[in-house]
Amino acid sequence: MNNKVKNIIVTILFMAFIFIVPIVNILVTDKEVSKSERRKLNTFSSISLSNFTEKFETYSLDQFVGRDTLRQIKAYITYNIFNQKDNNDIYIVNGQVSKYTNSLDEKSVINIAKKYNKLYSQLLSNMNVYYSIIPDKNYFMAKANGYPSIDYDKLVELMKNNMNKNMKYIDLFNEVKIDDYYKTDIHWRQENLDN
């Protein structure tokens, strides 16, 4: 096949893609939820004239035909062809999936402590109140596998220093184990809450 024929075929395929994909995206009904991401997707009904420019981009990204397949291809290429250790801050070690966080948001920790203090003073001041910090899955996986991690000691220290002294801290860091989390998810397994 000569170059001219190749160029014509590539041009036709490119033009078909440019025109067919938008038409298919218009014809396919909007999905309400992404099962793979476990979140609600933006729908066209959430867009109004006043917020069109801000909302249309997120809507079109959420409702793009073949979005999940393209995300899977991207993840496969990232891990298996480019040999990167993570994909969008998600990493996998021994079949365990986790999302790393590399910085502690101290202002956020202090803010939540203030909210707990307010709740305590308004509703709970005549009770014995205890609080704890549940380590995330990253606590067990990050440092041992070369991923960034927040300073959990600093997190505990910030909470203790900013919480009302009448509320007692219970340390659970030695009680929770990696097996208490889902393998393919960053969340704590509900059935392990009683253990």
Side-chain angles (χ1 to χ4, degrees):
M1 190 181 311
N2 65 29
N3 281 341
K4 186 174 183 179
V5 174
K6 284 182 191 176
N7 290 340
I8 290 171
I9 292 172
V10 168
T11 303
I12 290 171
L13 290 174
F14 178 74
M15 295 305 284
F17 180 81
I18 293 294
F19 289 107
I20 292 173
V21 169
I23 292 169
V24 171
N25 277 318
I26 290 169
L27 296 176
V28 172
T29 57
D30 290 350
K31 292 180 182 176
E32 295 287 326
V33 176
S34 169
K35 289 181 182 177
S36 64
E37 296 174 274
R38 285 196 265 166
R39 69 175 180 92
K40 288 182 89 173
L41 298 174
N42 290 303
T43 60
F44 196 75
S45 61
S46 67
I47 300 174
S48 65
L49 287 176
S50 63
N51 67 9
F52 185 81
T53 54
E54 299 92 37
K55 295 277 188 172
F56 185 75
E57 182 177 1
T58 55
Y59 159 76
S60 60
L61 291 172
D62 277 359
Q63 298 298 335
F64 192 84
V65 172
R67 180 175 185 272
D68 285 340
T69 303
L70 292 172
R71 289 178 68 239
Q72 289 172 346
I73 291 168
K74 187 234 182 214
Y76 179 84
I77 291 171
T78 299
Y79 288 123
N80 298 306
I81 295 177
F82 295 133
N83 291 321
Q84 291 182 340
K85 292 179 75 173
D86 67 272
N87 178 35
N88 297 331
D89 301 337
I90 303 288
Y91 64 97
I92 303 169
V93 175
N94 298 327
Q96 292 275 1
V97 176
S98 189
K99 179 174 179 133
Y100 69 77
T101 308
N102 59 0
S103 63
L104 177 63
D105 185 351
E106 294 184 24
K107 287 169 75 175
S108 183
V109 174
I110 293 168
N111 187 41
I112 196 67
K114 287 179 183 176
K115 289 182 181 186
Y116 288 148
N117 290 337
K118 183 177 179 182
L119 181 67
Y120 175 80
S121 66
Q122 290 177 346
L123 302 171
L124 306 169
S125 60
N126 59 349
M127 299 178 173
N128 292 326
V129 177
Y130 303 89
Y131 71 96
S132 187
I133 298 168
I134 309 296
D136 65 355
K137 196 173 183 182
N138 221 28
Y139 174 76
F140 303 98
M141 295 177 60
K143 285 186 181 176
N145 294 291
Y147 291 95
S149 176
I150 64 171
D151 184 346
Y152 291 94
D153 293 331
K154 177 82 172 180
L155 171 62
V156 171
E157 178 187 333
L158 276 171
M159 284 298 285
K160 285 182 175 180
N161 291 340
N162 289 284
M163 293 290 283
N164 184 310
K165 299 305 176 205
N166 292 322
M167 291 189 278
K168 306 293 185 241
Y169 174 69
I170 299 174
D171 186 353
L172 292 180
F173 280 79
N174 292 324
E175 302 301 320
V176 180
K177 307 288 181 246
I178 188 72
D179 295 333
D180 292 324
Y181 298 84
Y182 292 108
K183 278 188 168 277
T184 59
D185 196 334
I186 61 172
H187 297 98
W188 204 3
R189 290 174 30 204
Q190 305 300 320
E191 63 270 18
N192 288 9
L193 292 176
D194 293 337
N195 297 340

